[in-house]
Amino acid sequence: DKARQKTGQLVLYFALAVVCIFGALFILASFIFCRDSVSKTILWDPALAGIVALGTATIVGLGTLFKVISLAGGGKVVAEALGGKLLSHQTKDLPEKRFLNIVEEMALASGTPVPPSYIMEEAGINAFAAGYSPENAVIGVTRGCIEKLNREQLQGVVAHEFSHILNGDMSLNIRLIGVLAGILFIAVIGRILLEVGARSGGRRSRSKEGGGGAALLAIGLALFLVGYIGYFFGSLIKAAVSRQREFLADASAVQFTRNPGGIGGALRQIGGYADGELETKRATEVSHMCFSSVVNSFFSFKTHPPLPERISRIENLPLDDIGPGEAQASGAPLAAGAAGLAGGTIRTSAADVIASTGSVTEAGVEKASHIVASLPAGLAEAAQHPLSASALVYLLILPENKKERRKMVRTGLPGILGQDELGELSRLEKLMPGLDAHARLPLLEMTAPALRTLTKRQAEDFLKRIDEIIKFDTRVDLREFCYATMIDFCLHGSGKLRGRHKKRYRKIKELAPDFSRILSVLSDAGQDDSHARQRAFTAARKKLDGKVKLKYEAGGVEMTELRSSVGRLARSTLGIRKKALMACSHCVLADGIIEVEEAELLRAFAHALGIPVPPFLASTDLAGSDED
């Protein structure tokens, strides 16, 4: 709460920065153009003030606009600007492999797509998360971070960065770069004029000519000094926004891993390696989004709390206050970590599902590690490369436990896929019997980094083949809809469903037909008889405050209509989407039990709505729990 309240200071500081820049530019312009010829006193000139105000607004606006456009690519742009190199799962470097495994485990435990990972060839220990949403996030680390930290410490650092992703800090941080670029733009102009004036002065002095080099130098120096007002306020804004959020991320890292020694040990290591300083020229620009301080300057505010204070808070953090026992008692997500590897049904509650969003549990991280370790080696490796990942997705979407349908679709694949894809699919199909049912959807999510390396044309062809496979037997069932939704999410996140220029919905009443379709489908999926389905539908409708007139559609829903309804819900406000997830959870969990396919369907809806839900723990993992 404190971290979010601090963010409100950003607007105030930004306004003060613009006003101070305007004042400094007006004084400069008045000194040049508007002075009393006798007393040399600077005079107030409304016309000049208007021109300066317009110029200030234009410069700040253009600076912000250019930077925001340049950052449209999300976290990838930031990582590459810092000199980061995209890590491949094919790497033979052991520290790099360890880091990739930790990121994969943390992503599975949180229910977010596995983010691309970048390495910066820097000796210091530092890391960052960048992006506008979990779907386009990246995580970057320095070479020193993966080589100087042990696994527990590196896991603490990665957990810290995932906290920034899940708490929304990452989105704020990247937008902050764009906003601050505007108030720093005048300093950039001043520096350019200084460089031009210096070169011009040098040429003219060699040719023994007088000229405007000195004037350019003077104007450039003046603008550069005025620009330092922007630098001062930019540093102040980053410090105000960042410092409290770093404490929050440290505490979250302990909560996620249940190991204060991991994040605490990493911070102690940083103390011996130049406090995580980066050599790149862009270090100051991204200082607020890094794991620790990247620059030490007399003229800037510290964006991070002192290391001793961070370590002290971590070591004195009462674990009982954030432990799984107390969390479960308050409805938090002990029952929503990574998928268990045992068979059987899953027992959980709608409250647990909601509480699990945007969080990671110790049990979840542990189970995610088990999932990755237990996957057949060939399948885990296949998820890491574009061609084999595509073939793996084709396999996962084939009808399951329905031999006749599967055989029919399988015979049609040669007319849909190329020879290379068919060969890879046949190779991987031999490994599928060793894949646990609970691990199918997490394995699909693990293909996200590989699928996102496809070009736009390749991605379009891939989705077209998926559509042809699904429709080959002239019917689309809920399981296929679920997997198709998750595949779209792995490729594009929830942004594609929301769209940029489509209508936004702010009232539940506008979405009544869509709620009717979705809740009808989920009620049918979660209950066995018509009376139970009707009761589940009624219970879910009450979670929408009972203000919306919904109609249970007993005859079923066309998949095209269902997809359209999901798309409209995805374009609603966050409050409506959270209510939708709660209602959907009550539909599926009216009896307190959820089958694997039901869990996959619920998670597919949640991901499409832009509210990722972690995989569920199997009930066998909760044996003996009093809270069950």
Side-chain angles (χ1 to χ4, degrees):
D1 290 340
K2 288 181 180 178
R4 292 187 173 92
Q5 289 168 6
K6 284 276 188 181
T7 307
Q9 295 180 6
L10 186 153
V11 177
L12 175 62
Y13 289 150
F14 183 79
L16 284 174
V18 174
V19 169
C20 290
I21 289 172
F22 160 74
L25 287 177
F26 177 75
I27 291 173
L28 177 63
S30 297
F31 182 80
I32 298 173
F33 301 111
C34 191
R35 288 188 296 165
D36 184 273
S37 57
V38 179
S39 64
K40 306 299 183 185
T41 303
I42 296 175
L43 302 177
W44 169 255
D45 187 332
L48 182 62
I51 294 172
V52 172
L54 179 62
T56 302
T58 302
I59 292 172
V60 172
L62 287 176
T64 297
L65 179 64
F66 290 152
K67 179 58 71 172
V68 168
I69 291 174
S70 71
L71 293 172
K76 174 185 174 183
V77 176
V78 176
E80 292 177 350
L82 292 174
K85 179 188 73 174
L86 181 64
L87 285 179
S88 167
H89 283 269
Q90 298 175 344
T91 180
K92 302 298 182 183
D93 185 89
L94 291 181
E96 290 180 1
K97 263 197 168 312
R98 181 182 61 181
F99 167 60
L100 289 171
N101 289 340
I102 292 172
V103 171
E104 198 168 59
E105 292 166 7
M106 199 66 66
L108 289 179
S110 64
T112 58
V114 180
S117 300
Y118 285 79
I119 185 78
M120 297 178 289
E121 298 298 336
E122 300 259 9
I125 300 174
N126 224 317
F128 68 89
Y132 288 105
S133 66
E135 296 98 67
N136 65 24
V138 305
I139 286 185
V141 292
T142 60
R143 175 68 62 181
C145 187
I146 64 173
E147 291 186 348
K148 293 170 182 174
L149 302 182
N150 61 32
R151 196 183 200 282
E152 287 187 350
Q153 292 166 348
L154 186 57
Q155 187 184 53
V157 172
V158 172
H160 175 103
E161 297 308 326
F162 264 86
S163 170
H164 286 313
I165 294 174
L166 297 171
N167 288 322
D169 303 342
M170 177 186 66
S171 175
L172 173 66
N173 285 339
I174 194 170
R175 286 183 168 87
L176 204 55
I177 295 176
V179 170
L180 296 183
I183 58 177
L184 294 172
F185 196 37
I186 291 175
V188 174
I189 294 173
R191 188 175 68 245
I192 292 173
L193 290 179
L194 281 173
E195 294 173 355
V196 172
R199 288 197 296 270
S200 175
R203 287 196 300 269
R204 290 180 181 276
S205 63
R206 286 193 297 272
S207 61
K208 298 182 180 180
E209 295 179 7
L216 282 176
L217 283 172
I219 295 173
L221 179 60
L223 289 178
F224 189 75
L225 292 176
V226 170
Y228 251 83
I229 296 174
Y231 180 83
F232 170 85
F233 277 99
S235 176
L236 183 62
I237 289 171
K238 287 190 288 187
V241 171
S242 176
R243 289 170 68 90
Q244 189 64 41
R245 288 176 181 265
E246 290 305 312
F247 286 131
L248 172 62
D250 287 345
S252 296
V254 178
Q255 181 184 20
F256 295 170
T257 63
R258 297 289 296 164
N259 181 11
I263 183 77
L267 291 170
R268 288 185 182 279
Q269 287 277 48
I270 289 173
Y273 292 101
D275 199 28
E277 288 186 22
L278 299 179
E279 295 179 4
T280 174
K281 294 179 180 179
R282 298 289 185 90
T284 302
E285 190 176 10
V286 300
S287 59
H288 60 294
M289 63 169 52
C290 291
F291 176 67
S292 66
S293 298
V294 299
V295 290
N296 283 312
S297 172
F298 177 77
F299 298 101
S300 64
F301 292 91
K302 284 281 188 180
T303 55
H304 292 65
L307 287 176
E309 186 177 357
R310 292 175 70 181
I311 294 169
S312 174
R313 288 200 184 195
I314 289 168
E315 291 181 343
N316 293 308
L317 198 63
L319 292 181
D320 290 341
D321 288 351
I322 59 169
E326 181 171 330
Q328 186 185 20
S330 62
L334 180 59
L341 301 182
T345 57
I346 302 165
R347 292 185 180 275
T348 185
S349 69
D352 285 340
V353 173
I354 299 301
S356 72
T357 60
S359 67
V360 181
T361 64
E362 178 196 13
V365 175
E366 185 178 344
K367 286 298 180 181
S369 178
H370 287 322
I371 286 179
V372 176
S374 67
L375 290 173
L379 296 182
E381 185 179 353
Q384 299 165 359
H385 313 290
L387 174 64
S388 53
S390 301
L392 181 58
V393 173
Y394 299 142
L395 264 178
L396 288 170
I397 207 167
L398 289 178
E400 187 185 12
N401 301 328
K402 298 173 184 176
K403 293 182 180 179
E404 292 302 318
R405 281 190 65 200
R406 185 181 179 91
K407 184 177 180 181
M408 182 198 306
V409 177
R410 186 72 176 80
T411 57
L413 290 181
I416 300 174
L417 306 180
Q419 288 300 315
D420 290 344
E421 292 171 315
L422 283 171
E424 190 66 11
L425 185 145
S426 297
R427 181 183 72 83
L428 296 175
E429 193 168 24
K430 299 174 184 177
L431 304 173
M432 293 299 285
L435 179 65
D436 188 273
H438 289 286
R440 293 178 65 89
L441 201 58
L443 178 61
L444 177 61
E445 292 173 289
M446 287 170 61
T447 65
L451 294 180
R452 290 183 182 182
T453 63
L454 297 174
T455 65
K456 184 178 179 180
R457 177 63 183 273
Q458 289 172 334
E460 289 174 352
D461 290 342
F462 170 69
L463 290 176
K464 182 180 178 182
R465 294 187 188 105
I466 291 291
D467 193 50
E468 290 177 359
I469 291 171
I470 291 175
K471 293 179 178 178
F472 185 80
D473 59 352
T474 68
R475 58 176 293 190
V476 181
D477 60 26
L478 269 180
R479 178 187 169 279
E480 290 169 334
F481 173 82
C482 158
Y483 273 64
T485 301
M486 289 300 295
I487 291 165
D488 227 359
F489 179 77
C490 287
L491 266 172
H492 307 293
S494 57
K496 185 178 178 181
L497 275 172
R498 289 199 290 267
R500 287 188 177 182
H501 307 294
K502 295 182 179 180
K503 180 181 177 181
R504 303 292 190 225
Y505 298 92
R506 302 184 181 280
K507 297 180 180 178
I508 292 182
K509 291 181 180 180
E510 297 179 284
L511 298 164
D514 306 298
F515 273 108
S516 295
R517 294 188 192 107
I518 292 172
L519 296 181
S520 296
V521 167
L522 289 172
S523 297
D524 290 350
Q527 312 303 323
D528 294 329
D529 62 80
S530 58
H531 294 296
R533 291 169 180 171
Q534 187 67 55
R535 284 197 301 270
F537 183 87
T538 302
R541 184 180 59 195
K542 289 180 179 178
K543 290 299 172 182
L544 298 176
D545 302 325
K547 298 177 180 177
V548 188
K549 293 182 179 180
L550 305 184
K551 180 182 179 181
Y552 174 63
E553 301 187 15
V557 176
E558 289 290 332
M559 291 300 152
T560 52
E561 291 183 348
L562 183 60
R563 182 170 180 79
S564 297
S565 291
V566 171
R568 281 190 285 271
L569 269 182
R571 298 197 300 276
S572 64
T573 64
L574 180 60
I576 293 176
R577 283 183 280 137
K578 284 186 175 181
K579 286 184 178 180
L581 180 57
M582 174 64 83
C584 290
S585 301
H586 273 274
C587 274
V588 176
L589 290 162
D591 56 2
I593 297 174
I594 184 169
E595 302 289 344
V596 172
E597 286 194 5
E598 296 168 0
E600 291 178 341
L601 182 60
L602 180 57
R603 291 191 64 226
F605 274 111
H607 281 58
L609 295 178
I611 310 176
V613 172
F616 301 93
L617 286 171
S619 57
T620 50
D621 295 312
L622 300 175
S625 172
D626 294 335
E627 298 299 334
D628 269 350

